Amino acid sequence: MLTLIAGLVAGTVLALVAAGLLATWIITLVVEARYPPAGRRVAVEGGHLAVIEAGPGEGAPSRGTVVLLHGASANAMDPMLAIGRRLAGDGFRVLSFDRPGFGYSDRIAPDAASPAVQARLIAEALAAMKVGPALVVGHSWSGALATALALDFPERVAGLALLAPVSHPWPGGSVGGYAAWYRSLPGRMLLNLATYTVAAPLGFATLDRFAEVVFRPQGLPVGYLDGARVPLILRPSTFAANLRDLDGLYAFLERQSPRYPAITAPTVIVAGDIDPVVKTDIHARALAREVPGARLVVLPGVGHMLQYIAADTVVAEIEALAARERVGAD
């Protein structure tokens, strides 16, 4: 009897796993069919980065080049939808990159979870595109990436606009990090299994609720999930890359944050005073104290997704920063 029960349980588990694998495969096919590549791919060592472009093309007169770097659980269309097209309409050449492993960019390097590695790849892509010093805009997770780019490749950065940036180690982060539970062998095995079986089906059913949390205390804009192509995060490879990026962030910031006084690019930092995701006091205010000459703008009553909620202010600050330096001269 026990053998029969064990066999039934094992068979049920295998059937559920098979169903999850099939559902994940179908969801991946549907998502990629609905959201095909929207830009071009730029060759870098080991692979390609995808970039969405708007505004004047290469060699055409422009007010400068703006590089948009998205946060976690996103892709290049997110900042392009929020502010990129508007900046393009104002005369800027706008380049929005899928970070390595996101959208249609290759993961490329085994250690690509590091913002420093991603900064190297972005710098290489900009060089391949013959883009001169650009104004770099980084949101959330890409606060770490944009500052790494300014520190390690200052010749590529004419100005920094950091939106709700992650910049410093946060209380409790050393205990485990956002996804540290997967570091143990059982944790990694469970995570890999979940990534290819239940993550996509569950995520597909709950994406709107997740997005509502990120937008708090403001509401979710109509059409955001579709317009920002958010379901691309559900693909197993992207889902895994996102978790690894989050997991390694705390340790990276422990190493990088003491270097901020060496940033020479003109910098503006914009954050909401009630951001529930990236605490402004821990990150934005501290960063403003440490980057020489940085301008800090704290928006009252605004949360994490300020590039949507306060787009007018964000665009005005980026354009004011561009006016301070001739960005993207090439």
Tab-separated table of all heavy atoms in Angstrom, residues 175-231:
chain	number	residue	atom	x	y	z
A	175	VAL	N	22.045	40.197	5.586
A	175	VAL	CA	21.547	38.923	6.112
A	175	VAL	C	21.269	37.942	4.992
A	175	VAL	O	21.456	36.742	5.130
A	175	VAL	CB	20.262	39.160	6.942
A	175	VAL	CG1	19.669	37.830	7.385
A	175	VAL	CG2	20.584	40.026	8.150
A	176	GLY	N	20.816	38.477	3.852
A	176	GLY	CA	20.531	37.531	2.787
A	176	GLY	C	20.369	38.154	1.426
A	176	GLY	O	20.699	37.566	0.431
A	177	GLY	N	19.873	39.343	1.352
A	177	GLY	CA	19.609	39.919	0.047
A	177	GLY	C	18.239	39.508	-0.450
A	177	GLY	O	17.542	38.683	0.142
A	178	TYR	N	17.850	40.084	-1.562
A	178	TYR	CA	16.509	39.872	-2.070
A	178	TYR	C	16.221	38.412	-2.412
A	178	TYR	O	15.116	37.931	-2.244
A	178	TYR	CB	16.287	40.716	-3.337
A	178	TYR	CG	16.101	42.175	-3.062
A	178	TYR	CD1	17.092	43.090	-3.395
A	178	TYR	CD2	14.941	42.641	-2.482
A	178	TYR	CE1	16.922	44.440	-3.152
A	178	TYR	CE2	14.760	43.983	-2.232
A	178	TYR	CZ	15.746	44.888	-2.570
A	178	TYR	OH	15.587	46.221	-2.331
A	179	ALA	N	17.182	37.696	-2.944
A	179	ALA	CA	16.926	36.327	-3.388
A	179	ALA	C	17.957	35.349	-2.844
A	179	ALA	O	18.255	34.344	-3.456
A	179	ALA	CB	16.912	36.280	-4.915
A	180	ALA	N	18.503	35.648	-1.672
A	180	ALA	CA	19.629	34.860	-1.177
A	180	ALA	C	19.247	33.440	-0.795
A	180	ALA	O	20.109	32.574	-0.706
A	180	ALA	CB	20.255	35.561	0.026
A	181	TRP	N	17.973	33.197	-0.575
A	181	TRP	CA	17.567	31.847	-0.187
A	181	TRP	C	17.918	30.819	-1.257
A	181	TRP	O	18.022	29.630	-0.973
A	181	TRP	CB	16.068	31.820	0.107
A	181	TRP	CG	15.222	32.290	-1.036
A	181	TRP	CD1	14.823	33.555	-1.291
A	181	TRP	CD2	14.704	31.490	-2.096
A	181	TRP	NE1	14.093	33.603	-2.433
A	181	TRP	CE2	13.985	32.362	-2.952
A	181	TRP	CE3	14.756	30.128	-2.406
A	181	TRP	CZ2	13.344	31.908	-4.094
A	181	TRP	CZ3	14.108	29.679	-3.549
A	181	TRP	CH2	13.407	30.562	-4.375
A	182	TYR	N	18.136	31.262	-2.479
A	182	TYR	CA	18.410	30.293	-3.543
A	182	TYR	C	19.881	29.885	-3.574
A	182	TYR	O	20.276	29.034	-4.363
A	182	TYR	CB	17.984	30.849	-4.908
A	182	TYR	CG	19.003	31.669	-5.651
A	182	TYR	CD1	19.949	31.058	-6.467
A	182	TYR	CD2	19.023	33.059	-5.551
A	182	TYR	CE1	20.886	31.806	-7.154
A	182	TYR	CE2	19.959	33.808	-6.239
A	182	TYR	CZ	20.878	33.175	-7.040
A	182	TYR	OH	21.810	33.925	-7.713
A	183	ARG	N	20.713	30.452	-2.677
A	183	ARG	CA	22.148	30.127	-2.726
A	183	ARG	C	22.444	28.705	-2.291
A	183	ARG	O	23.417	28.102	-2.736
A	183	ARG	CB	22.918	31.109	-1.845
A	183	ARG	CG	22.957	32.524	-2.388
A	183	ARG	CD	23.636	33.438	-1.395
A	183	ARG	NE	23.625	34.817	-1.864
A	183	ARG	CZ	23.614	35.864	-1.072
A	183	ARG	NH1	23.599	35.684	0.234
A	183	ARG	NH2	23.614	37.079	-1.565
A	184	SER	N	21.678	28.174	-1.343
A	184	SER	CA	21.914	26.803	-0.905
A	184	SER	C	21.589	25.841	-2.044
A	184	SER	O	20.836	26.173	-2.961
A	184	SER	CB	21.043	26.475	0.310
A	184	SER	OG	19.673	26.476	-0.061
A	185	LEU	N	22.143	24.648	-1.959
A	185	LEU	CA	21.904	23.674	-3.020
A	185	LEU	C	20.419	23.340	-3.148
A	185	LEU	O	19.862	23.376	-4.260
A	185	LEU	CB	22.726	22.407	-2.778
A	185	LEU	CG	22.549	21.300	-3.831
A	185	LEU	CD1	22.927	21.809	-5.215
A	185	LEU	CD2	23.379	20.077	-3.446
A	186	PRO	N	19.717	23.046	-2.037
A	186	PRO	CA	18.269	22.793	-2.179
A	186	PRO	C	17.529	24.019	-2.720
A	186	PRO	O	16.609	23.882	-3.537
A	186	PRO	CB	17.824	22.464	-0.750
A	186	PRO	CG	19.062	22.015	-0.057
A	186	PRO	CD	20.170	22.815	-0.662
A	187	GLY	N	17.943	25.202	-2.277
A	187	GLY	CA	17.301	26.419	-2.747
A	187	GLY	C	17.490	26.619	-4.236
A	187	GLY	O	16.549	26.977	-4.963
A	188	ARG	N	18.698	26.381	-4.728
A	188	ARG	CA	18.963	26.520	-6.163
A	188	ARG	C	18.159	25.512	-6.981
A	188	ARG	O	17.628	25.825	-8.048
A	188	ARG	CB	20.458	26.348	-6.437
A	188	ARG	CG	21.300	27.541	-6.003
A	188	ARG	CD	22.754	27.342	-6.411
A	188	ARG	NE	23.557	28.468	-5.976
A	188	ARG	CZ	23.699	29.584	-6.668
A	188	ARG	NH1	23.085	29.732	-7.821
A	188	ARG	NH2	24.464	30.571	-6.212
A	189	MET	N	18.070	24.302	-6.466
A	189	MET	CA	17.310	23.278	-7.171
A	189	MET	C	15.829	23.650	-7.238
A	189	MET	O	15.191	23.545	-8.296
A	189	MET	CB	17.491	21.930	-6.477
A	189	MET	CG	18.904	21.369	-6.582
A	189	MET	SD	19.146	19.869	-5.601
A	189	MET	CE	18.025	18.748	-6.440
A	190	LEU	N	15.287	24.126	-6.129
A	190	LEU	CA	13.878	24.523	-6.106
A	190	LEU	C	13.630	25.731	-7.004
A	190	LEU	O	12.614	25.802	-7.711
A	190	LEU	CB	13.450	24.823	-4.668
A	190	LEU	CG	13.235	23.625	-3.759
A	190	LEU	CD1	12.994	24.074	-2.322
A	190	LEU	CD2	12.065	22.775	-4.245
A	191	LEU	N	14.564	26.683	-6.963
A	191	LEU	CA	14.393	27.879	-7.784
A	191	LEU	C	14.438	27.531	-9.269
A	191	LEU	O	13.635	28.023	-10.064
A	191	LEU	CB	15.470	28.912	-7.460
A	191	LEU	CG	15.376	30.194	-8.276
A	191	LEU	CD1	14.072	30.935	-7.990
A	191	LEU	CD2	16.557	31.103	-8.012
A	192	ASN	N	15.395	26.691	-9.655
A	192	ASN	CA	15.478	26.291	-11.063
A	192	ASN	C	14.212	25.561	-11.501
A	192	ASN	O	13.699	25.792	-12.603
A	192	ASN	CB	16.700	25.396	-11.286
A	192	ASN	CG	17.997	26.177	-11.262
A	192	ASN	OD1	18.017	27.362	-11.565
A	192	ASN	ND2	19.080	25.522	-10.883
A	193	LEU	N	13.708	24.716	-10.630
A	193	LEU	CA	12.473	24.009	-10.947
A	193	LEU	C	11.314	24.995	-11.086
A	193	LEU	O	10.540	24.940	-12.050
A	193	LEU	CB	12.164	22.979	-9.864
A	193	LEU	CG	10.894	22.143	-10.061
A	193	LEU	CD1	11.012	21.292	-11.318
A	193	LEU	CD2	10.644	21.255	-8.834
A	194	ALA	N	11.220	25.929	-10.139
A	194	ALA	CA	10.133	26.915	-10.184
A	194	ALA	C	10.241	27.820	-11.401
A	194	ALA	O	9.232	28.191	-12.015
A	194	ALA	CB	10.145	27.749	-8.900
A	195	THR	N	11.467	28.179	-11.762
A	195	THR	CA	11.686	29.076	-12.896
A	195	THR	C	11.122	28.499	-14.188
A	195	THR	O	10.589	29.237	-15.025
A	195	THR	CB	13.192	29.365	-13.055
A	195	THR	OG1	13.652	30.053	-11.886
A	195	THR	CG2	13.471	30.224	-14.277
A	196	TYR	N	11.229	27.196	-14.348
A	196	TYR	CA	10.801	26.561	-15.595
A	196	TYR	C	9.426	25.896	-15.502
A	196	TYR	O	8.982	25.294	-16.481
A	196	TYR	CB	11.847	25.537	-16.031
A	196	TYR	CG	13.091	26.189	-16.570
A	196	TYR	CD1	14.157	26.482	-15.723
A	196	TYR	CD2	13.192	26.539	-17.909
A	196	TYR	CE1	15.293	27.122	-16.211
A	196	TYR	CE2	14.329	27.160	-18.400
A	196	TYR	CZ	15.375	27.452	-17.543
A	196	TYR	OH	16.494	28.069	-18.031
A	197	THR	N	8.769	26.027	-14.326
A	197	THR	CA	7.464	25.372	-14.194
A	197	THR	C	6.367	26.309	-13.723
A	197	THR	O	5.382	26.518	-14.430
A	197	THR	CB	7.561	24.172	-13.232
A	197	THR	OG1	8.077	24.618	-11.961
A	197	THR	CG2	8.452	23.075	-13.798
A	198	VAL	N	6.520	26.912	-12.547
A	198	VAL	CA	5.404	27.682	-11.967
A	198	VAL	C	5.569	29.189	-12.052
A	198	VAL	O	4.587	29.929	-11.934
A	198	VAL	CB	5.175	27.280	-10.492
A	198	VAL	CG1	4.864	25.800	-10.383
A	198	VAL	CG2	6.388	27.639	-9.632
A	199	ALA	N	6.807	29.684	-12.234
A	199	ALA	CA	7.015	31.140	-12.193
A	199	ALA	C	6.224	31.856	-13.281
A	199	ALA	O	5.568	32.874	-13.018
A	199	ALA	CB	8.507	31.464	-12.321
A	200	ALA	N	6.283	31.352	-14.496
A	200	ALA	CA	5.578	32.021	-15.593
A	200	ALA	C	4.054	31.954	-15.438
A	200	ALA	O	3.378	32.979	-15.556
A	200	ALA	CB	6.023	31.445	-16.929
A	201	PRO	N	3.471	30.778	-15.161
A	201	PRO	CA	2.010	30.747	-14.981
A	201	PRO	C	1.532	31.609	-13.824
A	201	PRO	O	0.543	32.345	-13.961
A	201	PRO	CB	1.717	29.257	-14.722
A	201	PRO	CG	2.852	28.527	-15.354
A	201	PRO	CD	4.046	29.409	-15.167
A	202	LEU	N	2.214	31.534	-12.679
A	202	LEU	CA	1.810	32.360	-11.543
A	202	LEU	C	2.033	33.846	-11.846
A	202	LEU	O	1.196	34.687	-11.512
A	202	LEU	CB	2.590	31.953	-10.294
A	202	LEU	CG	2.224	30.603	-9.678
A	202	LEU	CD1	3.112	30.297	-8.492
A	202	LEU	CD2	0.763	30.567	-9.258
A	203	GLY	N	3.167	34.153	-12.454
A	203	GLY	CA	3.450	35.541	-12.790
A	203	GLY	C	2.451	36.108	-13.776
A	203	GLY	O	2.024	37.271	-13.651
A	204	PHE	N	2.071	35.323	-14.744
A	204	PHE	CA	1.111	35.763	-15.750
A	204	PHE	C	-0.220	36.148	-15.096
A	204	PHE	O	-0.888	37.101	-15.527
A	204	PHE	CB	0.885	34.648	-16.775
A	204	PHE	CG	0.263	35.104	-18.050
A	204	PHE	CD1	0.998	35.781	-19.011
A	204	PHE	CD2	-1.084	34.856	-18.303
A	204	PHE	CE1	0.427	36.203	-20.192
A	204	PHE	CE2	-1.669	35.273	-19.488
A	204	PHE	CZ	-0.912	35.957	-20.432
A	205	ALA	N	-0.571	35.413	-14.030
A	205	ALA	CA	-1.838	35.666	-13.353
A	205	ALA	C	-1.770	36.820	-12.360
A	205	ALA	O	-2.805	37.367	-11.974
A	205	ALA	CB	-2.293	34.404	-12.633
A	206	THR	N	-0.544	37.216	-11.963
A	206	THR	CA	-0.425	38.213	-10.892
A	206	THR	C	0.382	39.447	-11.283
A	206	THR	O	0.663	40.288	-10.433
A	206	THR	CB	0.236	37.576	-9.650
A	206	THR	OG1	1.536	37.070	-10.008
A	206	THR	CG2	-0.608	36.440	-9.100
A	207	LEU	N	0.747	39.599	-12.545
A	207	LEU	CA	1.568	40.737	-12.948
A	207	LEU	C	0.926	42.069	-12.606
A	207	LEU	O	1.612	43.016	-12.193
A	207	LEU	CB	1.858	40.673	-14.450
A	207	LEU	CG	3.136	39.981	-14.899
A	207	LEU	CD1	3.290	40.096	-16.410
A	207	LEU	CD2	4.361	40.516	-14.194
A	208	ASP	N	-0.375	42.183	-12.794
A	208	ASP	CA	-1.033	43.452	-12.513
A	208	ASP	C	-0.931	43.811	-11.044
A	208	ASP	O	-0.698	44.980	-10.691
A	208	ASP	CB	-2.487	43.428	-12.981
A	208	ASP	CG	-3.281	42.273	-12.393
A	208	ASP	OD1	-2.667	41.318	-11.863
A	208	ASP	OD2	-4.525	42.330	-12.456
A	209	ARG	N	-1.056	42.828	-10.165
A	209	ARG	CA	-0.954	43.100	-8.731
A	209	ARG	C	0.475	43.474	-8.342
A	209	ARG	O	0.691	44.348	-7.506
A	209	ARG	CB	-1.420	41.874	-7.932
A	209	ARG	CG	-2.938	41.805	-7.787
A	209	ARG	CD	-3.402	40.494	-7.208
A	209	ARG	NE	-3.521	39.475	-8.248
A	209	ARG	CZ	-3.812	38.212	-8.004
A	209	ARG	NH1	-4.009	37.806	-6.764
A	209	ARG	NH2	-3.908	37.347	-8.999
A	210	PHE	N	1.450	42.804	-8.946
A	210	PHE	CA	2.841	43.170	-8.689
A	210	PHE	C	3.112	44.606	-9.118
A	210	PHE	O	3.735	45.383	-8.394
A	210	PHE	CB	3.775	42.219	-9.447
A	210	PHE	CG	5.208	42.673	-9.478
A	210	PHE	CD1	6.033	42.503	-8.388
A	210	PHE	CD2	5.722	43.307	-10.609
A	210	PHE	CE1	7.352	42.937	-8.415
A	210	PHE	CE2	7.032	43.744	-10.648
A	210	PHE	CZ	7.849	43.552	-9.544
A	211	ALA	N	2.637	44.977	-10.303
A	211	ALA	CA	2.857	46.329	-10.806
A	211	ALA	C	2.162	47.363	-9.938
A	211	ALA	O	2.697	48.457	-9.702
A	211	ALA	CB	2.369	46.434	-12.242
A	212	GLU	N	0.977	47.042	-9.441
A	212	GLU	CA	0.270	47.970	-8.558
A	212	GLU	C	1.085	48.265	-7.302
A	212	GLU	O	1.128	49.401	-6.827
A	212	GLU	CB	-1.095	47.391	-8.190
A	212	GLU	CG	-2.109	47.452	-9.329
A	212	GLU	CD	-3.385	46.685	-9.017
A	212	GLU	OE1	-3.447	46.067	-7.928
A	212	GLU	OE2	-4.296	46.686	-9.854
A	213	VAL	N	1.752	47.248	-6.768
A	213	VAL	CA	2.594	47.435	-5.579
A	213	VAL	C	3.748	48.378	-5.887
A	213	VAL	O	4.070	49.280	-5.102
A	213	VAL	CB	3.124	46.078	-5.070
A	213	VAL	CG1	4.188	46.282	-4.001
A	213	VAL	CG2	1.971	45.232	-4.524
A	214	VAL	N	4.386	48.209	-7.039
A	214	VAL	CA	5.537	49.038	-7.406
A	214	VAL	C	5.123	50.491	-7.612
A	214	VAL	O	5.902	51.411	-7.343
A	214	VAL	CB	6.216	48.474	-8.679
A	214	VAL	CG1	7.352	49.380	-9.129
A	214	VAL	CG2	6.746	47.068	-8.417
A	215	PHE	N	3.900	50.721	-8.076
A	215	PHE	CA	3.432	52.080	-8.343
A	215	PHE	C	2.869	52.775	-7.105
A	215	PHE	O	2.576	53.975	-7.164
A	215	PHE	CB	2.367	52.073	-9.446
A	215	PHE	CG	2.930	52.191	-10.824
A	215	PHE	CD1	3.328	51.068	-11.535
A	215	PHE	CD2	3.079	53.434	-11.430
A	215	PHE	CE1	3.856	51.169	-12.820
A	215	PHE	CE2	3.601	53.554	-12.704
A	215	PHE	CZ	3.991	52.417	-13.404
A	216	ARG	N	2.688	52.092	-6.009
A	216	ARG	CA	2.117	52.721	-4.827
A	216	ARG	C	2.947	53.915	-4.358
A	216	ARG	O	4.158	53.887	-4.488
A	216	ARG	CB	2.018	51.702	-3.691
A	216	ARG	CG	0.932	50.660	-3.905
A	216	ARG	CD	0.934	49.642	-2.780
A	216	ARG	NE	-0.061	48.596	-3.030
A	216	ARG	CZ	-0.151	47.480	-2.314
A	216	ARG	NH1	0.696	47.276	-1.327
A	216	ARG	NH2	-1.065	46.583	-2.618
A	217	PRO	N	2.323	54.948	-3.820
A	217	PRO	CA	0.903	55.093	-3.495
A	217	PRO	C	0.045	55.548	-4.676
A	217	PRO	O	-1.155	55.698	-4.541
A	217	PRO	CB	0.910	56.168	-2.414
A	217	PRO	CG	2.042	57.056	-2.802
A	217	PRO	CD	3.095	56.125	-3.340
A	218	GLN	N	0.670	55.781	-5.833
A	218	GLN	CA	-0.109	56.145	-7.008
A	218	GLN	C	-0.711	54.884	-7.645
A	218	GLN	O	-0.292	53.764	-7.335
A	218	GLN	CB	0.760	56.881	-8.037
A	218	GLN	CG	1.044	58.332	-7.686
A	218	GLN	CD	2.064	58.506	-6.579
A	218	GLN	OE1	3.038	57.758	-6.495
A	218	GLN	NE2	1.860	59.496	-5.727
A	219	GLY	N	-1.661	55.081	-8.542
A	219	GLY	CA	-2.291	53.957	-9.204
A	219	GLY	C	-1.525	53.522	-10.440
A	219	GLY	O	-0.672	54.238	-10.965
A	220	LEU	N	-1.847	52.325	-10.894
A	220	LEU	CA	-1.220	51.751	-12.086
A	220	LEU	C	-1.757	52.444	-13.334
A	220	LEU	O	-2.969	52.474	-13.554
A	220	LEU	CB	-1.523	50.259	-12.145
A	220	LEU	CG	-0.891	49.450	-13.269
A	220	LEU	CD1	0.614	49.397	-13.102
A	220	LEU	CD2	-1.482	48.034	-13.289
A	221	PRO	N	-0.893	53.037	-14.166
A	221	PRO	CA	-1.388	53.694	-15.383
A	221	PRO	C	-2.080	52.710	-16.316
A	221	PRO	O	-1.665	51.552	-16.444
A	221	PRO	CB	-0.103	54.250	-16.029
A	221	PRO	CG	0.886	54.323	-14.917
A	221	PRO	CD	0.559	53.187	-14.002
A	222	VAL	N	-3.113	53.158	-16.959
A	222	VAL	CA	-3.840	52.323	-17.910
A	222	VAL	C	-2.891	51.909	-19.050
A	222	VAL	O	-2.186	52.743	-19.622
A	222	VAL	CB	-5.046	53.076	-18.481
A	222	VAL	CG1	-5.735	52.245	-19.562
A	222	VAL	CG2	-6.036	53.427	-17.370
A	223	GLY	N	-2.865	50.627	-19.349
A	223	GLY	CA	-2.054	50.130	-20.455
A	223	GLY	C	-0.582	49.946	-20.142
A	223	GLY	O	0.196	49.628	-21.057
A	224	TYR	N	-0.190	50.089	-18.876
A	224	TYR	CA	1.240	50.011	-18.548
A	224	TYR	C	1.836	48.643	-18.873
A	224	TYR	O	2.896	48.556	-19.506
A	224	TYR	CB	1.462	50.331	-17.068
A	224	TYR	CG	2.851	49.976	-16.592
A	224	TYR	CD1	3.949	50.742	-16.967
A	224	TYR	CD2	3.073	48.846	-15.789
A	224	TYR	CE1	5.235	50.408	-16.558
A	224	TYR	CE2	4.343	48.507	-15.372
A	224	TYR	CZ	5.421	49.283	-15.761
A	224	TYR	OH	6.688	48.943	-15.369
A	225	LEU	N	1.204	47.574	-18.427
A	225	LEU	CA	1.787	46.241	-18.607
A	225	LEU	C	2.052	45.939	-20.073
A	225	LEU	O	3.114	45.421	-20.431
A	225	LEU	CB	0.867	45.175	-18.018
A	225	LEU	CG	0.719	45.154	-16.494
A	225	LEU	CD1	-0.251	44.066	-16.082
A	225	LEU	CD2	2.064	44.947	-15.814
A	226	ASP	N	1.111	46.272	-20.921
A	226	ASP	CA	1.263	46.009	-22.345
A	226	ASP	C	2.231	47.004	-22.984
A	226	ASP	O	3.121	46.615	-23.744
A	226	ASP	CB	-0.101	46.085	-23.024
A	226	ASP	CG	-0.079	45.522	-24.431
A	226	ASP	OD1	0.421	44.399	-24.624
A	226	ASP	OD2	-0.555	46.211	-25.352
A	227	GLY	N	2.075	48.281	-22.658
A	227	GLY	CA	2.928	49.300	-23.270
A	227	GLY	C	4.391	49.142	-22.913
A	227	GLY	O	5.267	49.361	-23.757
A	228	ALA	N	4.678	48.751	-21.680
A	228	ALA	CA	6.062	48.561	-21.230
A	228	ALA	C	6.560	47.141	-21.465
A	228	ALA	O	7.666	46.800	-21.063
A	228	ALA	CB	6.186	48.912	-19.747
A	229	ARG	N	5.744	46.306	-22.079
A	229	ARG	CA	6.122	44.928	-22.428
A	229	ARG	C	6.602	44.139	-21.205
A	229	ARG	O	7.506	43.304	-21.275
A	229	ARG	CB	7.208	44.960	-23.509
A	229	ARG	CG	6.756	45.653	-24.777
A	229	ARG	CD	7.899	46.239	-25.590
A	229	ARG	NE	8.814	45.270	-26.121
A	229	ARG	CZ	8.779	44.770	-27.352
A	229	ARG	NH1	7.849	45.171	-28.194
A	229	ARG	NH2	9.659	43.889	-27.764
A	230	VAL	N	5.936	44.381	-20.080
A	230	VAL	CA	6.341	43.768	-18.816
A	230	VAL	C	6.328	42.245	-18.856
A	230	VAL	O	7.199	41.605	-18.235
A	230	VAL	CB	5.458	44.294	-17.662
A	230	VAL	CG1	5.808	43.607	-16.340
A	230	VAL	CG2	5.626	45.809	-17.516
A	231	PRO	N	5.400	41.579	-19.559
A	231	PRO	CA	5.403	40.110	-19.544
A	231	PRO	C	6.686	39.452	-20.049
A	231	PRO	O	6.894	38.258	-19.812
A	231	PRO	CB	4.208	39.757	-20.450
A	231	PRO	CG	3.261	40.903	-20.280
A	231	PRO	CD	4.175	42.108	-20.204
